[in-house]
Amino acid sequence: MNNAVSQNGSSRPRVAVVTGGSGGIGGAVARRLAADGMAVVVHYAGRVAKAEAIVESVTAAGGTAVALPGDVAEPTEMTRLFDAVEERFGGVDVVVNTAGIMLLAPLAEMELEAFDRMHRVNVRGTFVVSQLAARRLRPGGALINFSTSVTRLQQPDYGGYAATKGAVEAMTLILARELRGQDVTVNAVAPGPTATPLFVEGKSEELIARIAAAAPLERLGTPEDIAEGVSFLAGPAGRWINGQVLFSNGGIA
């Protein structure tokens, strides 16, 4: 069965919403799901130019995509986005929550304002979007949230960030059980070090090389590596995977 066909066998195209679709991983996910035949909504918060560039790359490859704005932590704005998607495409089949921020500091030194910012986007934002997904995903649908392999690595400076992603995992695994009978899967992807502009920024070549060498495969992940895992969970081959955290990290954890 092609991913473009709904899981219940109808011929209508499947529709995916990718929050944080203007980012490195989000953009790769949007392109990959579009390549699977889905109509893709590239969500953005402030980077409209990058979101529109993703849309242009999808449409240039023969796919269907549209960019829509919204603050993931604001229910009114995300409800408006879901309403717009349903009006334009008829419904939603896949929701991928890549939107998130990472601020690093030792726990004893982290400003509470920085922790609150991460909590607002990573935890509240995931909660808001997951709640809408739980209410609106069509049968055969999939919700894919984003955690991090740092929840298992216990690296210094990552305490505040890992705490927000631990909350994401807890919500994800419980929601999978709460949606019994709705034919909707709920999983999380937990990337390891991934070569995005955000990851590379501020790091020396020596540090990047050391981080890359930590994985048995001796390289950083790419956004496309992460997108492949999302494609699997969103598609027909992943229908029996539910209530799980997929560690996409090359064996680093």
Side-chain angles (χ1 to χ4, degrees), residues 57-129:
S57 69
V58 168
T59 55
T64 300
V66 61
L68 292 176
D71 181 344
V72 291
E74 287 300 326
T76 301
E77 294 189 24
M78 296 313 293
T79 297
R80 188 181 304 125
L81 182 145
F82 272 75
D83 288 345
V85 175
E86 291 180 352
E87 182 177 352
R88 179 161 186 156
F89 296 109
V92 181
D93 301 285
V94 175
V95 173
V96 186
N97 263 319
T98 76
I101 59 174
M102 180 174 65
L103 304 172
L104 305 180
L107 198 67
E109 300 173 14
M110 175 168 276
E111 296 288 340
L112 189 57
E113 185 273 338
F115 180 74
D116 286 344
R117 283 176 59 201
M118 284 193 292
H119 190 280
R120 185 179 188 281
V121 177
N122 300 354
V123 181
R124 177 178 164 127
T126 297
F127 180 91
V128 167
V129 176

Side-chain angles (χ1 to χ4, degrees), residues 33-225:
L33 296 183
D36 289 338
M38 299 187 198
V40 177
V41 177
V42 180
H43 158 268
Y44 65 93
R47 299 186 291 187
V48 59
K50 291 187 177 181
E52 289 177 347
I54 298 296
V55 169
E56 290 173 7
S57 69
V58 168
T59 55
T64 300
V66 61
L68 292 176
D71 181 344
V72 291
E74 287 300 326
T76 301
E77 294 189 24
M78 296 313 293
T79 297
R80 188 181 304 125
L81 182 145
F82 272 75
D83 288 345
V85 175
E86 291 180 352
E87 182 177 352
R88 179 161 186 156
F89 296 109
V92 181
D93 301 285
V94 175
V95 173
V96 186
N97 263 319
T98 76
I101 59 174
M102 180 174 65
L103 304 172
L104 305 180
L107 198 67
E109 300 173 14
M110 175 168 276
E111 296 288 340
L112 189 57
E113 185 273 338
F115 180 74
D116 286 344
R117 283 176 59 201
M118 284 193 292
H119 190 280
R120 185 179 188 281
V121 177
N122 300 354
V123 181
R124 177 178 164 127
T126 297
F127 180 91
V128 167
V129 176
S130 294
Q131 188 174 67
L132 285 164
R135 295 170 177 172
R136 300 206 186 193
L137 279 169
R138 294 187 283 207
L143 168 62
I144 302 158
N145 289 325
F146 262 66
S147 181
T148 173
S149 290
V150 177
T151 57
R152 305 298 190 271
L153 293 174
Q154 294 89 44
Q155 289 177 310
D157 297 343
Y158 284 80
Y161 175 68
T164 67
K165 292 302 188 176
V168 168
E169 288 189 15
M171 284 191 290
T172 299
L173 303 186
I174 292 171
L175 182 57
R177 278 72 184 175
E178 291 178 343
L179 295 188
R180 171 183 292 272
Q182 295 190 34
D183 191 23
V184 169
T185 61
V186 186
N187 295 288
V189 173
T194 305
T196 63
L198 181 63
F199 172 82
V200 172
E201 183 179 359
K203 293 183 176 69
S204 67
E205 291 186 10
E206 179 184 3
L207 177 58
I208 293 171
R210 189 163 67 248
I211 294 172
L217 297 178
E218 296 186 330
R219 68 173 178 87
L220 296 175
T222 68
E224 289 71 26
D225 288 327

